[in-house]
Amino acid sequence: MSSGRKLLLTALRFDIESLRHLAASCDMVGDISRFIHALQRERGASTIYLASKGAQFAARRQTFVEEVSAAEALIRSRLEEFAEAPHPQATGRLLRRIATVWMALDELSSLRHSVESFGLSPDAATLAFNELIGGLLAIVFEAADTAADPDITRALVAIFHLMQGKELAGQERACGAFGFTYGHFDEPHRALLTRLTQDQNRCFDTFLEFAGSSVRESWETRLSPQTLSHIEALRDSASRADRGPSRRDARVSETWYALTTQRIDALREVEACAIEELARLCHLKISRAQQALEAARAPRKGASSAPGEQLLALTGSERLGDLTTSALTSPLGRSLIELTHAQSSRLQGLSDELENTRKALRERKLIERAKGLIMAHQSMSEEQAYRFLRKTSMDQSKSMANMAQSILELSSMLERKAP
């Protein structure tokens, strides 16, 4: 066997191994999706339980706690497998994300005890759940960022934005449950409700841009316009509510929770469809790579020498220039050139597609880093920092990514000049 063929077989085996590791990461994304959905249900029930001083959702919350505990056992097992044998593509950042989630899971029982004993406010409980869910979403983000295959990257980017949009819908459910249970929305909660709606739309727009046709079809068929219309009516009532004394009405909070839950459950079905499509794509890629490996292993019938050796044998006494000219002008030569151009264009298209996807991911990282810097130095909340960054970028006619880069560069320069 020639050295070139050995190298080809090694490359194909490496591709298969990489795809298998990527498929395992995608399986973990599916487990995270199911776990987040269970956590979202517990968070919503806990908010109403705390806001109503235990008068509502006590039994339902306990049911959700049991569901989360079952899902937690599976996710811990998955993370343990990953920790014992990290994938070759895993970065230090991804491993730190997983470690952070693991530590947050260890604190989950303490959080539940505080909810049970009314030891924290509804907003504080929501924030604690948000932090854990945010950490889980960060793992999905890192999986998308480290994927090398363009098609799988696109699918992961779509899933990440769908999961993030669904998480924002879950936060909206908790925020609305808080206000409707109290019978009153103060200005911060009204502003939060508005921002969560806007951010959801942005995430879902990106999801639809990257999702495949079957997943987009699932989106169109599973989400009920009537349910969203009722939610919009309640959103409008929350934004127009007067600022007088609270008027508690358990029926309104129950209606809000039921409608938003219907929507989130529908989003979960779309999410499951997207994850199933991702799994099929991974297995298809592996199957094709294995077929390519088998084809490369099979001996070529009727071939006594390698194509390169045959080509050299054809030269005879012909000068290289003459041979090149005849090869370029022959029908076979022209077809090979056309094939090469087609392959080159396809590879360039895949490269451009992957780079565009990675660019979107890099820009998101810049924005998140700049937002954290603003929060630290300006004593702002995450929402305030985001609004500040968006307004500043609009005032200076820059994209948010460019504005974030400028802020980070300025911070780095000031740190170097500091005594």
Side-chain angles (χ1 to χ4, degrees), residues 103-149:
M103 290 185 286
L105 289 174
D106 291 339
E107 297 295 323
L108 195 52
S109 59
S110 298
L111 171 60
R112 287 173 178 147
H113 177 73
S114 297
V115 172
E116 185 73 31
S117 60
F118 305 102
L120 72 175
S121 68
D123 280 345
T126 298
L127 181 61
F129 279 106
N130 291 355
E131 291 292 330
L132 173 55
I133 293 173
L136 290 161
L137 284 172
I139 295 176
V140 179
F141 176 83
E142 295 298 341
D145 195 31
T146 55
D149 183 276

Side-chain angles (χ1 to χ4, degrees), residues 233-252:
L234 286 172
R235 285 172 177 167
D236 186 57
S237 71
S239 67
R240 292 185 295 102
D242 62 44
R243 306 183 186 187
S246 299
R247 294 185 303 278
R248 296 177 185 270
D249 189 340
R251 292 173 300 176
V252 177

Side-chain angles (χ1 to χ4, degrees), residues 103-322:
M103 290 185 286
L105 289 174
D106 291 339
E107 297 295 323
L108 195 52
S109 59
S110 298
L111 171 60
R112 287 173 178 147
H113 177 73
S114 297
V115 172
E116 185 73 31
S117 60
F118 305 102
L120 72 175
S121 68
D123 280 345
T126 298
L127 181 61
F129 279 106
N130 291 355
E131 291 292 330
L132 173 55
I133 293 173
L136 290 161
L137 284 172
I139 295 176
V140 179
F141 176 83
E142 295 298 341
D145 195 31
T146 55
D149 183 276
D151 296 327
I152 293 176
T153 299
R154 285 183 65 87
L156 280 167
V157 169
I159 289 171
F160 170 74
H161 282 89
L162 175 60
M163 291 176 71
Q164 188 179 42
K166 176 171 163 284
E167 162 57 8
L168 293 168
Q171 291 184 26
E172 182 191 22
R173 175 174 62 183
C175 179
F178 173 83
F180 286 120
T181 301
Y182 271 129
H184 169 70
F185 284 86
D186 57 20
E187 193 57 39
H189 284 87
R190 287 187 215 182
L192 177 59
L193 209 60
T194 300
R195 183 178 68 81
L196 288 170
T197 302
Q198 295 170 347
D199 290 350
Q200 283 175 67
N201 293 336
R202 188 173 67 248
C203 286
F204 292 142
D205 286 344
T206 306
F207 155 70
L208 291 171
E209 179 183 351
F210 284 91
S213 56
S214 63
V215 179
R216 287 197 299 269
E217 182 180 350
S218 175
W219 168 275
E220 292 169 0
T221 57
R222 294 176 190 275
L223 292 173
S224 167
Q226 185 178 14
T227 298
L228 184 56
S229 176
H230 291 319
I231 292 173
E232 289 285 2
L234 286 172
R235 285 172 177 167
D236 186 57
S237 71
S239 67
R240 292 185 295 102
D242 62 44
R243 306 183 186 187
S246 299
R247 294 185 303 278
R248 296 177 185 270
D249 189 340
R251 292 173 300 176
V252 177
S253 62
E254 290 274 2
T255 299
W256 166 263
Y257 185 87
L259 288 169
T260 51
T261 296
Q262 286 177 18
R263 179 168 177 255
I264 291 170
D265 287 347
L267 289 170
R268 168 63 191 135
E269 292 175 3
V270 178
E271 195 174 273
C273 176
I275 290 171
E276 288 173 7
E277 185 66 25
L278 175 63
R280 283 194 292 270
L281 179 60
C282 286
H283 291 306
L284 176 62
K285 295 277 185 178
I286 293 172
S287 175
R288 287 177 176 173
Q290 288 174 330
Q291 288 172 7
L293 179 61
E294 292 303 318
R297 281 174 174 165
R300 299 183 181 182
K301 296 181 180 179
S304 58
S305 59
E309 294 170 341
Q310 294 175 22
L311 179 60
L312 290 174
L314 289 173
T315 61
S317 60
E318 290 186 87
R319 292 173 306 181
L320 184 59
D322 293 339

Side-chain angles (χ1 to χ4, degrees), residues 351-368:
S351 177
D352 292 344
E353 188 175 303
L354 179 58
E355 179 55 32
N356 289 335
T357 302
R358 292 195 181 280
K359 180 182 177 183
L361 293 170
R362 287 195 299 269
E363 288 181 350
R364 178 175 182 81
K365 288 182 179 179
L366 284 175
I367 292 171
E368 290 299 317

